[in-house]
Amino acid sequence: MNIKLLEVELNEVASDVTIIFLKKDELEGCEHSDILQKTGFKAEQDTTCFLYEKGLLFCGVDSKKSDDIRSAVASAIKAIRTSNFKSVKVAILSKSVIGALVEGIVLGGYEFNNYKSEQKKVVLEDIFLVSNDLDFTKIEEDFAQAMIVANATNFTRDIVNKTPQDVNPQVLAQIAQDLAEQNTLECTVLQEADLAQEGMNAMLAVGRASVHGSTLIHLAYKPQNPKKVVTLVGKGLTYDSGGLSLKQPTSMVTMKMDKAGACATLGIIKAVSELKLDIEVHAFIGAVENMVGGNAYKPDDVLISRSKTTIEVRNTDAEGRLVLADVLDYAQDKVKADYIFDFATLTGACMIALGQYTSGIMGHSHKLKHDINKAASDAGEMVSSLPFNRHLKKLLKSDIADISNTASKPYGGAITAGMFLDKFIREENKNKWMHFDIAGTAYTEAAWDCNVYGGTGAGVRLMTQFLKDI
Ligand code: BES
Ligand code: ZN
Ligand code: ZN
């Protein structure tokens, strides 16, 4: 699928199909209103009407703004990919929607077929984005940037979608090393012996029953004169069985996605390095598999974490926070950053609180929450703040250790998980840190917006946007 930008009149472009966005109030006045009426097309957002003989594909939109265009063009691309047309053109309605068009096409047209024995044959070859009356230099720049970000998002999706059999902590380290080589990044991988030397006993405990050694991956993008330094931390549970606090069979399915936070940090650093932003970015990934076995860590264990904070394990399925506790502590020692962001599929509770379409953001700085909100909305992702409070914090008290890995009451689970992480953020970094719970948004079993079945790449677009803005 080639996407090409053309500076000509739309009618000068030869293509099999033309995509036309239509609002409900434009339906009546439209040239083809009679036939559209007969098909029953009502121009509802994300519905399409394909007039095959005329080579016209109508897409309903609520507005011509980015969010609606992104999701409408994603539906259009799916409709065309199932046909036998070779080329399609679409007019760029305004300079603000070029990014949305690219994302809708690249992300909505994504399919993961690695495990299908027969590859689908897609006839569609060329997609032309056409305009003759906009500042083309700006359009070209926005187009190139959107392509980088959308491809990085699909890169993230590809890793998330791979099975736990194919991506274990060692393989994730290899993927990071390959990316480092391709994009000239620095890459260091710590193996279990190194982790033991670092005193990362919380992370090591989680991975102990796995046959695959845990790894801590550190990738760095270092431009010449960076304006800011940013640390990203990713939860990389290549599988989360729950450990001895074993998950229910139905909850265990999809747990290959528990590495999505790590995959997001890989996608972000890929995008930032290809956009050549003047920002130094470090990605720290805790890659671990949470399994059962005679040597598994147990509820009742007390772990001495890297920061020397002792942790009572009351549930081995609350493992992500144990891994992140050690990785956050390590990252704060290694890099003096202006911002620290962690990405994690941390709690089912976040999904219950916000739904499947919104990531939870937690931290102390109102300004940072505000700026992240703005970046997310510009990038077409949804976030919402879940507020810390002192009452919920008390629920993490342990009678035997410094802190418990689960709260004593079941409500507010996303926030108590965030407050557990907060225990490992140093005083000087409190306002620089933000935690992203992407448990709901990172993976989907039903298409929505420009997301298709599987990994969504949540976090990549929003964080890249934030980094572009600073
Ligand atoms: N990886 C899960 C969280 C999760 C659940 C992600 C559903 C995506 C979809 C995490 O490790 C976990 O199991 N959390 C527990 C915490 C509980 C034991 C305190 C949860 O959410 O139930
Ligand atoms: Zn778990
Ligand atoms: Zn998990």
Side-chain angles (χ1 to χ4, degrees):
M1 228 165 59
N2 305 306
I3 308 175
K4 288 182 191 145
L5 202 54
L6 300 178
E7 189 178 15
V8 289
E9 290 296 331
L10 189 66
N11 56 21
E12 289 173 43
V13 181
S15 75
D16 299 338
V17 179
T18 307
I19 294 177
I20 299 166
F21 299 109
L22 212 56
K23 290 195 297 174
K24 285 193 190 102
D25 60 10
E26 291 171 333
L27 202 50
E28 233 170 70
C30 150
E31 193 188 330
H32 304 277
S33 64
D34 281 354
I35 179 83
L36 288 175
Q37 187 92 45
K38 281 183 191 140
T39 63
F41 180 63
K42 295 203 174 64
E44 303 273 4
Q45 175 69 40
D46 297 342
T47 61
T48 54
C49 178
F50 210 149
L51 303 182
Y52 293 98
E53 282 189 6
K54 291 189 199 295
L56 296 176
L57 176 54
F58 289 91
C59 300
V61 289
D62 286 342
S63 79
K64 308 259 170 117
K65 291 189 189 147
S66 290
D67 284 348
D68 290 334
I69 293 290
R70 185 187 298 107
S71 124
V73 80
S75 310
I77 249 15
K78 279 174 214 149
I80 298 168
R81 279 171 68 98
T82 54
S83 77
N84 283 322
F85 289 111
K86 252 183 156 169
S87 59
V88 56
K89 65 180 173 182
V90 58
I92 307 165
L93 301 172
S94 69
K95 73 171 174 17
S96 61
V97 300
I98 181 72
L101 282 172
V102 169
E103 287 163 2
I105 294 164
V106 177
L107 302 177
Y110 173 86
E111 272 181 44
F112 183 77
N113 291 322
N114 283 31
Y115 300 111
K116 296 272 189 197
S117 54
E118 251 178 63
Q119 288 308 302
K120 241 191 214 162
K121 199 174 162 334
V122 176
V123 179
L124 182 64
E125 279 174 7
D126 291 313
I127 301 164
F128 303 114
L129 307 183
V130 189
S131 161
N132 207 15
D133 52 7
L134 298 169
D135 172 0
F136 222 70
T137 325
K138 180 81 178 78
I139 293 275
E140 275 173 332
E141 193 187 320
D142 288 355
F143 172 80
Q145 292 195 356
M147 284 295 284
I148 288 174
V149 179
N151 286 326
T153 307
N154 282 347
F155 170 81
T156 293
R157 290 172 168 189
D158 275 341
I159 314 169
V160 173
N161 289 334
K162 285 194 182 137
T163 59
Q165 186 184 354
D166 282 352
V167 178
N168 59 51
Q170 296 295 324
V171 175
L172 198 55
Q174 189 55 54
I175 293 170
Q177 273 163 339
D178 293 346
L179 176 65
E181 205 161 296
Q182 268 168 22
N183 287 31
T184 29
L185 310 171
E186 290 175 16
C187 184
T188 321
V189 176
L190 273 64
Q191 295 291 347
E192 285 192 345
D194 311 310
L195 300 177
Q197 273 207 325
E198 285 286 339
M200 300 178 76
N201 301 310
M203 173 168 168
L204 279 169
V206 175
R208 210 162 58 207
S210 169
V211 296
H212 307 289
S214 303
T215 57
L216 189 155
I217 305 157
H218 177 191
L219 275 174
Y221 164 67
K222 291 181 175 169
Q224 286 267 308
N225 298 304
K227 287 203 196 89
K228 295 278 181 210
V229 179
V230 176
T231 285
L232 309 171
V233 171
K235 171 177 173 183
L237 264 287
T238 60
Y239 201 67
D240 181 11
S241 70
L244 289 181
S245 315
L246 198 63
K247 285 185 184 293
Q248 294 291 338
T250 48
S251 304
M252 211 183 289
V253 181
T254 72
M255 275 306 135
K256 65 174 183 181
M257 60 81 104
D258 216 18
K259 59 186 180 303
C263 302
T265 67
L266 291 176
I268 297 162
I269 206 165
K270 175 176 160 71
V272 168
S273 59
E274 290 169 13
L275 291 167
K276 300 192 170 59
L277 298 187
D278 288 335
I279 297 169
E280 184 171 312
V281 180
H282 294 263
F284 293 90
I285 290 172
V288 186
E289 191 184 52
N290 187 19
M291 297 298 281
V292 291
N295 60 345
Y297 84 125
K298 305 168 192 74
D300 280 357
D301 276 344
V302 173
L303 312 173
I304 305 172
S305 68
R306 186 178 186 277
S307 72
K308 301 287 178 263
T309 300
T310 59
I311 307 168
E312 178 191 1
V313 177
R314 293 184 71 90
N315 190 318
T316 61
D317 198 10
E319 82 301 333
R321 62 195 77 182
L322 298 174
V323 173
L324 290 177
D326 276 348
V327 180
L328 280 166
D329 190 65
Y330 177 84
Q332 289 172 93
D333 265 347
K334 288 288 154 188
V335 178
K336 286 278 146 280
D338 298 295
Y339 296 100
I340 302 169
F341 299 119
D342 76 73
F343 294 85
T345 47
L346 205 61
T347 64
C350 187
M351 228 186 302
I352 290 168
L354 297 176
Q356 212 207 317
Y357 313 108
T358 305
S359 299
I361 55 171
M362 284 155 257
H364 299 281
S365 162
H366 293 295
K367 159 117 179 53
L368 192 50
K369 282 182 192 171
H370 172 271
D371 294 349
I372 290 288
N373 235 306
K374 160 101 178 51
S377 138
D378 289 347
E381 286 194 52
M382 295 198 288
V383 298
S384 186
S385 166
L386 295 170
F388 290 162
N389 68 61
R390 64 188 192 284
H391 305 291
L392 283 170
K393 188 175 176 174
K394 282 191 220 145
L395 305 181
L396 288 167
K397 278 194 177 148
S398 162
D399 288 321
I400 193 170
D402 299 339
I403 192 168
S404 164
N405 83 328
T406 53
S408 52
K409 287 198 182 112
Y411 306 117
I415 300 177
T416 49
M419 296 191 91
F420 178 94
L421 298 182
D422 179 43
K423 179 94 177 159
F424 299 86
I425 301 295
R426 303 194 187 148
E427 217 40 58
E428 67 271 24
N429 292 329
K430 291 285 185 202
N431 281 316
K432 301 177 180 169
W433 167 66
M434 182 130 289
H435 159 56
F436 291 78
D437 193 330
I438 57 170
T441 49
Y443 195 85
T444 182
E445 293 187 283
W448 61 277
D449 200 325
C450 56
N451 299 307
V452 299
Y453 178 93
T456 62
V460 177
R461 280 184 290 150
L462 92 78
M463 186 44 56
T464 311
Q465 183 67 44
F466 177 83
L467 298 175
K468 269 166 72 180
D469 292 346
I470 52 174

